Amino acid sequence: FFCSVPEEQNEENEVHVYVPIKDSVKGKDVECKIMPSKLKFAIKGEPTPIIDDALWEGVKTDDSTWEIETVEGKGRCVHITLVKFKQWSQWEYLVKSEDVPADMTITNKCFFDISIGGQDAGRIVFGLYGKQVPKTAENFRALCT
């Protein structure tokens, strides 16, 4: 799924969620339950819900809606419009489980020996976060060896 907050001033109280679906999915196959602090979205017959989590902040359930539509560049989607309980609040994420701290595990260390004017000035040691950015960490490590 993907989420967007409209740029138009008159719609800053809404969060829009788009879930791509197959052409065979009909409205009766969609299970969308919008609760004040939780969203559950599933397709009947699928083993697990696509979204089943606490929302970043509260929503007005009576004003929030969903519909099936075609989105340019994305195809057929279920468009969920969530009306924020706090109109001007900024949502960093759709659901709270997306707010996961970065994995700061140092997987490798590299170093640069520094000299200034031919005199040894010391060593700079770099810790590489290989679980967070594995390709970048490996490429940097390879360049240092």
Side-chain angles (χ1 to χ4, degrees):
F1 67 91
F2 58 100
C3 183
S4 71
V5 178
E7 295 177 12
E8 297 86 25
Q9 291 291 343
N10 62 349
E11 292 186 22
E12 287 188 9
N13 64 328
E14 296 179 350
V15 174
H16 296 271
V17 182
Y18 300 89
V19 183
I21 57 172
K22 297 176 184 175
D23 289 337
S24 60
V25 174
K26 307 289 183 223
K28 65 181 180 180
D29 302 322
V30 174
E31 295 179 13
C32 186
K33 187 167 185 180
I34 302 169
M35 296 162 267
S37 60
K38 184 176 179 179
L39 175 63
K40 182 174 183 180
F41 179 87
I43 303 295
K44 289 181 184 173
E46 295 293 321
T48 57
I50 296 168
I51 303 169
D52 188 8
D53 205 346
L55 292 165
W56 185 251
E57 288 191 19
V59 296
K60 297 178 182 178
T61 56
D62 291 341
D63 299 330
S64 300
T65 62
W66 67 269
E67 63 184 339
I68 295 175
E69 63 182 45
T70 301
V71 177
E72 187 175 332
K74 302 293 182 185
R76 202 157 172 268
C77 295
V78 172
H79 175 194
I80 304 168
T81 303
L82 301 172
V83 178
K84 298 177 190 177
F85 186 74
K86 297 177 186 173
Q87 182 173 358
W88 302 105
S89 67
Q90 297 291 328
W91 283 34
E92 292 185 47
Y93 303 98
L94 173 64
V95 291
K96 290 187 178 181
S97 66
E98 291 179 304
D99 184 20
V100 178
D103 187 340
M104 301 301 283
T105 304
I106 295 176
T107 57
N108 288 303
K109 290 184 180 180
C110 298
F111 62 88
F112 289 167
D113 287 326
I114 306 296
S115 63
I116 300 172
Q119 298 288 330
D120 185 24
R123 176 176 280 187
I124 299 175
V125 179
F126 298 91
L128 306 179
Y129 304 115
K131 292 186 178 180
Q132 187 67 27
V133 287
K135 288 182 181 180
T136 303
E138 178 56 26
N139 287 343
F140 189 81
R141 187 205 59 77
L143 287 170
C144 291
T145 57

